[in-house]
Amino acid sequence: GKHGAYAYAVTFSPDCRRAISSSGDRTVRVWASKKGECLHILKAKSALLTCMISDVGQLLCTGYEGAMHFWDIKAFEVPCLEAIGHGAEIRNAEFSKYGTYCITASNDGSVRVFDTSSGISLGALPLPLPVYSMASVIDDDRAVCMCGDEQGNVIIVRINGVRDQVPMTTFIADESSLTAAGGNMSPVRSSKNR
């Protein structure tokens, strides 16, 4: 099988029976891992740059124009949940351990936390740079994100007050629970890569 444009990201389902690819052709394709046949073609509103699956079976794909789509990997025929929040391409996203929320980083210069059951943005942490890469460590009540830009700048931020829950419970937070480095919106550490 083949996409109609560049395949930006690929991943496997937790049971390795399905492979998923996201593309610049505005589609996500679900493949049978053993035979390589395309089982589903899911449509998105813009080119997609990422795809990942939470341990609880939720597929997240992000892309240009702030595109963010959630699918249940057990019910691809159900329309996706679209999340709104970023104003530019989302190049990075990560699920919390239990899939209660996800953290995204965008070229709009922000890191956001989203409730994965509703797609609602729980808040944004503005950064002094457009984010091109992100890695995060997420535990039960906070996240630490390292973000980088195309100029080589790196910034590390903490997001406190998030409460990851075991599946089947509700995650509740508000924008005031998003903080960086001791309650203000400043970076923990920033450096220039030379």
Side-chain angles (χ1 to χ4, degrees), residues 18-192:
R18 303 286 182 260
I20 288 101
S21 56
S22 62
S23 171
D25 68 4
R26 300 176 182 218
T27 67
V28 176
R29 293 179 189 246
V30 181
W31 310 89
S33 295
K34 283 187 179 180
K35 296 182 181 182
E37 66 182 301
C38 184
L39 304 173
H40 302 281
I41 299 175
L42 311 171
K43 301 208 186 271
K45 291 185 176 180
S46 71
L48 297 171
L49 300 169
T50 71
C51 64
M52 66 219 55
I53 298 176
S54 72
D55 289 343
V56 296
Q58 194 168 31
L59 170 64
L60 168 61
C61 297
T62 67
Y64 288 101
E65 302 165 14
M68 219 173 141
H69 306 279
F70 293 96
W71 284 275
D72 180 343
I73 63 170
K74 295 176 184 157
F76 285 118
E77 65 282 351
V78 175
C80 70
L81 173 66
E82 293 182 25
I84 298 172
H86 285 291
E89 66 194 62
I90 302 169
R91 292 182 171 261
N92 301 278
E94 293 191 29
F95 281 106
S96 62
K97 178 179 178 180
Y98 300 117
T100 306
Y101 64 93
C102 68
I103 295 175
T104 57
S106 171
N107 284 4
D108 68 5
S110 71
V111 171
R112 285 186 176 270
V113 176
F114 286 88
D115 180 309
T116 58
S117 64
S118 67
I120 294 173
S121 173
L122 301 174
L125 179 62
L127 300 176
L129 50 93
V131 180
Y132 284 82
S133 62
M134 177 188 79
S136 64
V137 176
I138 305 167
D139 65 20
D140 293 344
D141 63 356
R142 69 183 169 110
V144 177
C145 299
M146 181 174 183
C147 303
D149 72 4
E150 66 181 1
Q151 302 299 315
N153 296 302
V154 172
I155 189 168
I156 296 174
V157 296
R158 284 190 189 95
I159 302 172
N160 298 312
V162 291
R163 298 280 184 250
D164 197 19
Q165 304 284 321
V166 292
M168 304 305 292
T169 60
T170 305
F171 170 63
I172 299 172
D174 57 49
E175 288 192 31
S176 66
S177 65
L178 295 178
T179 61
N184 62 32
M185 297 305 253
S186 63
V188 175
R189 183 175 18 168
S190 180
S191 67
K192 174 75 176 163

